């Protein structure tokens, strides 16, 4: 951070050199997962994950900085995920940096990329121009990015390019962090770390399981239903969702279904989800199949 508007300029003079090793890449703000993977991009830990970081950690601040000739050229660089080509990336964060008076020019790819952000991002009094890719890219399940007095012009792609993608992020998160693999919905309790993935497999027809969730960050919680599989056309699932950790709290949804549902959200930072199995003929229990299941995940929302 620079005080009294004394600008910091970050510039890579070797940008046009054919050897990609001379390109310094960019700045990445991301959740600090413990990984042995080597990278030539400087990373700044700005995470709020209680598994890896201090809950009292404050957001990073990037003010009064010019970034020229940064980014990575996709055709010359092997990267796991394309968002890391940008001059500045905010990747998979729950607490996001504060940006003010940022100038990004002549990036090899996008100017800024906000990917899978878990809270609101604000960019103020900034300029993004003459970048080979888009000016700003938002690729996430949230996409809450506020631009205040931001000038975006003369970029090779869109000024602001937005994509909502739930399914891709669920795959990425599980690949990058093994503890996020699907857990049994009926056997897991007291979930406070998100996103978290579950498989509901009823033990028999007419049975239910209940799971309570609580966010440490005072954000809403959203349940995404990824897939629903039934082995018999008579099979039905029922979901009850309450705005709190107990079923005496306000009922938000009570839905019977046998196919994928729209996402459902709480109004508070607590949520109770009850999943039940049944047959459309209440006197019959023959519809139960051991392959009947629901795959779902729960995330912090804004």
């Amino acid at each position: 951070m620079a005080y009294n508007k004394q600008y910091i300029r970050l510039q890579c003079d070797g940008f046009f050199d054919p050897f990609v090793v001379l390109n310094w890449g960019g700045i990445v703000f991301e959740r600090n997962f413990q990984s042995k993977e080597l990278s030539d991009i400087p990373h700044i830990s700005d995470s709020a994950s209680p598994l890896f970081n201090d809950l009292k950690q404050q957001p990073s601040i990037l003010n009064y900085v010019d970034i020229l000739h940064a980014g990575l050229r996709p055709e010359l660089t092997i990267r796991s995920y394309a968002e890391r080509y940008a001059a500045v990336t905010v990747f998979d964060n729950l607490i996001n940096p504060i940006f003010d008076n940022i100038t990004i020019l002549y990036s090899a790819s996008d100017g800024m990329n906000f990917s899978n952000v878990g809270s609101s991002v604000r960019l103020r009094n900034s300029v993004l121009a003459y970048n080979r890719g888009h000016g700003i890219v938002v690729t996430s399940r949230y996409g809450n990015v506020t631009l205040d007095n931001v000038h975006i012009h003369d970029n090779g792609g869109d000024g602001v390019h937005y994509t909502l993608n739930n399914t891709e992020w669920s795959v990425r998160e599980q690949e990058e962090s093994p503890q996020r693999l699907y857990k049994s919905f009926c056997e897991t309790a007291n979930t406070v770390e998100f996103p978290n993935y579950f498989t509901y497999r009823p033990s028999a027809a007419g049975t239910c399981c209940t799971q309570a969730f609580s966010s440490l960050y005072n954000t809403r919680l959203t349940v995404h239903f990824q897939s629903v599989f039934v082995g018999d056309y008579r099979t039905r699932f029922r979901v009850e969702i309450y705005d709190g950790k107990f079923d005496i709290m306000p009922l938000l949804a009570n839905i019977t279904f046998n196919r994928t549902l729209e996402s459902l959200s709480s109004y508070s930072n607590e949520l109770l989800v009850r999943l039940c199995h049944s047959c459309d003929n209440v006197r019959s229990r023959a519809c139960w199949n051991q392959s009947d299941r629901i795959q779902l995940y729960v995330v912090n929302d804004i």
Side-chain angles (χ1 to χ4, degrees), residues 1 7 33 36 43 49 64 119 125 135 142 196 268 284:
M1 181 171 63
Y7 281 81
F33 291 117
K36 296 181 180 179
H43 288 66
S49 170
Y64 300 105
S119 61
N125 307 317
Y142 306 102
N196 230 306
S268 68
S284 172

Side-chain angles (χ1 to χ4, degrees), residues 95 208 278 297:
I95 295 179
C208 298
S278 65
Y297 64 94

Side-chain angles (χ1 to χ4, degrees), residues 204-206 230-236 277-281 284-290 292:
V230 294
D232 189 292
Y233 72 94
R234 296 170 297 174
T235 297
R236 297 291 183 270
H277 180 282
S278 65
C279 301
D280 60 0
N281 182 344
S284 172
R285 293 181 179 268
C287 73
W288 177 80
N289 188 299
Q290 63 180 0
D292 292 346

Side-chain angles (χ1 to χ4, degrees), residues 6-301:
Q6 295 176 352
Y7 281 81
I8 295 174
R9 171 161 290 186
L10 305 175
Q11 181 167 341
C12 175
D13 291 328
F15 166 69
F16 292 108
D17 194 282
F19 298 102
V20 71
V21 293
L22 299 179
N23 193 332
W24 69 279
I27 300 174
V28 180
F29 297 85
E30 72 174 326
R31 197 188 303 218
N32 188 22
F33 291 117
Q34 294 175 337
S35 173
K36 296 181 180 179
E37 180 183 357
L38 298 178
S39 172
D40 56 1
I41 304 178
H43 288 66
I44 298 177
S45 173
D46 186 47
S47 166
S49 170
L51 289 180
F52 302 101
N53 299 90
D54 184 355
L55 287 174
K56 297 180 180 180
Q57 184 175 356
Q58 298 299 312
S60 297
I61 298 174
L62 193 66
N63 288 356
Y64 300 105
V65 176
D66 292 350
I67 303 176
L68 282 68
H69 300 301
L72 294 169
R73 286 173 285 179
E75 69 272 15
L76 295 178
T77 308
I78 298 176
R79 278 281 162 260
S80 298
Y81 305 128
E83 64 271 1
R84 297 174 187 260
Y85 300 141
V88 173
T89 293
V90 179
F91 180 76
D92 193 25
N93 268 19
L94 296 178
I95 295 179
N96 290 306
I98 298 172
F99 297 111
D100 194 359
N101 280 277
I102 306 299
T103 298
I104 299 178
L105 306 176
Y106 311 115
S107 170
S109 184
D110 302 320
M112 302 185 78
N113 189 297
F114 301 104
S115 294
N116 201 30
V117 293
S119 61
S120 179
V121 179
R122 181 180 292 273
L123 174 65
R124 302 179 58 192
N125 307 317
S126 298
V127 177
L128 297 96
Y130 308 111
N131 301 296
R132 288 189 177 183
H134 306 299
I136 295 176
V137 176
V138 180
T139 307
S140 74
R141 64 166 65 98
Y142 306 102
N144 189 352
V145 176
T146 301
L147 306 181
D148 183 1
N149 191 31
V150 177
H151 298 273
I152 306 173
H153 61 88
D154 293 296
N155 295 288
D158 298 331
V160 178
H161 183 81
Y162 172 74
T163 303
L164 176 66
N165 193 328
N166 288 339
T167 303
E168 181 182 351
W169 280 114
S170 67
V171 175
R172 292 189 186 191
E173 287 161 345
Q174 292 180 76
E175 288 177 347
E176 293 191 344
S177 186
Q179 81 274 8
R180 291 179 172 181
L181 294 173
Y182 289 94
K183 307 174 184 66
S184 170
F185 184 87
C186 296
E187 298 175 4
T188 306
N190 300 320
T191 300
V192 296
E193 172 68 9
F194 304 99
N196 230 306
Y197 295 84
F198 301 93
T199 298
Y200 168 64
R201 293 181 181 272
S203 58
T207 59
C208 298
C209 291
T210 302
Q211 178 75 244
F213 304 96
S214 179
S215 170
L216 298 175
Y217 308 105
N218 294 318
T219 61
R220 297 191 310 155
L221 294 168
T222 295
V223 182
H224 296 279
F225 295 87
Q226 286 185 290
S227 63
V228 176
F229 181 85
V230 294
D232 189 292
Y233 72 94
R234 296 170 297 174
T235 297
R236 297 291 183 270
F237 291 111
R238 188 179 82 254
V239 58
E240 299 174 14
I241 294 185
Y242 297 86
D243 194 31
K245 296 179 69 174
F246 306 98
D247 58 9
I248 61 173
M249 304 304 290
L251 179 66
L252 299 176
N254 186 352
I255 303 172
T256 300
F257 62 99
N258 63 355
R259 63 187 65 186
T260 303
L261 290 177
E262 295 291 330
S263 302
L264 299 169
S265 299
S266 67
Y267 290 102
S268 68
N269 68 324
E270 295 181 337
L271 186 69
L272 184 139
V273 179
R274 177 174 292 131
L275 294 173
C276 300
H277 180 282
S278 65
C279 301
D280 60 0
N281 182 344
V282 295
R283 293 174 294 178
S284 172
R285 293 181 179 268
C287 73
W288 177 80
N289 188 299
Q290 63 180 0
S291 61
D292 292 346
R293 65 187 181 276
I294 301 173
Q295 288 186 314
L296 66 153
Y297 64 94
V298 182
V299 298
N300 286 297
D301 213 332

